[in-house]
Amino acid sequence: MTSPKLYLAPLDGLRFFAFLAVFFHHMSDFTVSAVLDKMHNYGWVGVELFFLISSFLFFHLLDAEYVKTGGIGVRNFFVRRFLRIYPLMILFPIAMLVIHGSPDGNGYFRLAGLALFLDNAVAWFKSYNLSIPNTAHLWTLSFEFQVYLLIPFVFLAYRRFGKTVFLGALLTVFVYCFLARMTVYSLGASHPIIWVTPFLRPESVLCGMALYILRPQWHWGFSIAVAVVAGAAFLSLAPPWVSPVASAFSYPLAALMFGGLVDAGLRAPLLATVLSATPLRFLGRISYGLYVYHFAVIAYSNRDGNEGARTCHRTRDECRRLLDIVGNRADADNCSRDHQLLRFREVGGDVQSPVRCG
């Protein structure tokens, strides 16, 4: 069997666009452009593209190793992942603690959560990491490393049982996790519990594995069509933490959208050429650093960002009282809706400014 080509240049280009979506999401409102405003509202989905690319690429690399050697180096896999993520993931929060201190005094405990790859679990009961300035988005790294812990063993299961059985198993996992998500949501789990928990929203990770295993033979135009249709349906929904319908379908639609995009990006000649352009490949290669640093860059360029975040976290009643005080009673009735819209705009727990409530 021929070993697959290791480097897939278009994936680097897609990585950069995943980062760009998150970056636009964390910036202030783009009221001058409907397109940019839409990117701002839905840019949180960029993390889904990151997750899908990761699972696809790891299966690709592990398969190449398996074909070449007859096995995989599990220890080497973990060491490489640890060295790739850990230094920057831990040094950046330390730097933020040294420079800014901890607003609520819990900074060292949240640093421990990051160091143990548990920041997403800590968010279940302490919400996003506002204890260390400019690090609230780093829960995604805990999420991703928890997925890494399973990837080699899941790959070996694929090699052991074959494509058909494995795809059936992925479908079973999807159904179970879907039902678990809807159960937890229906029981009133507060945001961000579902959002930060891998087994409650694994669609993008599962789709990346399935896409590699399927290795589609259909025309790449079909994948583009799937991406377009799924994308249109996705954009018609509110963010997944807002309603049961959104919670049910946003994650699967995002996975289909990006699955189609990744497949087309690898096989459609013109799209692959564009995504493989040298500037995009370079930006994709440094996308991890860009992701870690970007919220600090935005915060430093907008000194009012922290005040905006604090205001956005006011309760509905606080918003009503504020609007009553300034005499804007007509807008008071819409405050609950506006407050929800503000909370929609989160990825990694970061809330946007400027503030709309008030």
Side-chain angles (χ1 to χ4, degrees), residues 28-345:
S28 299
D29 291 345
F30 292 94
T31 55
V32 297
S33 169
V35 173
L36 291 178
D37 192 55
K38 183 71 75 172
M39 293 175 63
H40 171 66
N41 292 340
Y42 287 90
W44 59 268
V45 79
V47 297
E48 300 300 300
L49 181 53
F50 275 126
F51 294 152
L52 191 149
I53 290 173
S54 291
S55 62
F56 176 91
L57 185 59
F58 288 140
F59 260 55
H60 170 73
L61 296 175
L62 290 172
D63 200 35
E65 182 181 356
Y66 190 93
V67 169
K68 183 177 180 180
T69 67
I72 61 172
V74 175
R75 182 182 63 181
N76 290 339
F77 175 86
F78 289 139
V79 169
R80 288 194 299 266
R81 289 299 92 211
F82 182 86
L83 294 178
R84 170 81 171 95
I85 290 180
Y86 204 78
L88 184 57
M89 184 196 75
I90 206 68
L91 290 175
F92 177 71
I94 289 174
M96 291 296 99
L97 269 178
V98 171
I99 294 170
H100 299 290
S102 176
D104 62 4
N106 291 323
Y108 291 105
F109 294 108
R110 294 308 293 257
L111 182 64
L114 284 166
L116 296 171
F117 294 108
L118 290 174
D119 192 57
N120 59 333
V122 175
W124 294 344
F125 52 90
K126 292 294 288 185
S127 192
Y128 298 110
N129 188 356
L130 302 179
S131 301
I132 305 176
N134 305 317
T135 64
H137 59 302
L138 297 187
W139 66 267
T140 58
L141 303 182
S142 295
F143 182 115
E144 194 159 4
F145 196 81
Q146 289 158 16
V147 173
Y148 292 166
L149 292 176
L150 298 176
I151 287 284
F153 306 108
V154 173
F155 173 80
L156 289 174
Y158 155 61
R159 275 294 184 172
R160 169 68 176 80
F161 296 105
K163 180 168 74 173
T164 302
V165 171
F166 186 77
L167 289 174
L170 289 185
L171 180 60
T172 302
V173 170
F174 162 71
V175 171
Y176 173 85
C177 293
F178 175 88
L179 294 174
R181 175 167 75 246
M182 299 317 298
T183 299
V184 171
Y185 186 96
S186 300
L187 289 172
S190 60
H191 184 63
I193 290 175
I194 292 173
W195 173 233
V196 302
T197 306
F199 79 87
L200 291 177
R201 29 86 96 240
E203 281 87 342
S204 291
V205 174
L206 298 178
C207 186
M209 298 176 188
L211 181 62
Y212 179 76
I213 292 169
L214 286 171
R215 301 173 194 175
Q217 300 300 309
W218 56 72
H219 191 273
W220 50 262
F222 178 75
S223 293
I224 292 179
V226 168
V228 170
V229 172
F234 170 80
L235 292 174
S236 72
L237 297 173
W241 44 84
V242 173
S243 72
V245 172
S247 184
F249 296 110
S250 288
Y251 298 118
L253 287 171
L256 284 174
M257 174 174 64
F258 289 138
L261 180 61
V262 168
D263 182 53
L266 291 172
R267 298 197 294 129
L270 179 59
L271 184 57
T273 299
V274 171
L275 292 173
S276 301
T278 300
L280 287 180
R281 284 190 286 120
F282 170 75
L283 291 169
R285 287 172 183 169
I286 64 170
S287 61
Y288 173 55
L290 294 174
Y291 178 77
V292 171
Y293 293 133
H294 83 277
F295 201 70
V297 171
I298 294 172
Y300 294 149
S301 65
N302 179 10
R303 291 293 181 177
D304 293 330
N306 289 334
E307 179 59 30
R310 286 193 294 272
T311 305
C312 285
H313 279 293
R314 286 177 177 145
T315 65
R316 177 183 61 190
D317 291 339
E318 287 172 323
C319 283
R320 287 184 182 276
R321 285 196 295 271
L322 177 62
L323 291 175
D324 285 341
I325 288 171
V326 300
N328 194 0
R329 295 179 184 275
D331 285 340
D333 291 338
N334 294 324
C335 185
S336 177
R337 173 180 56 82
D338 291 342
H339 180 71
Q340 280 188 321
L341 288 173
L342 288 165
R343 296 303 298 271
F344 292 172
R345 294 177 176 180

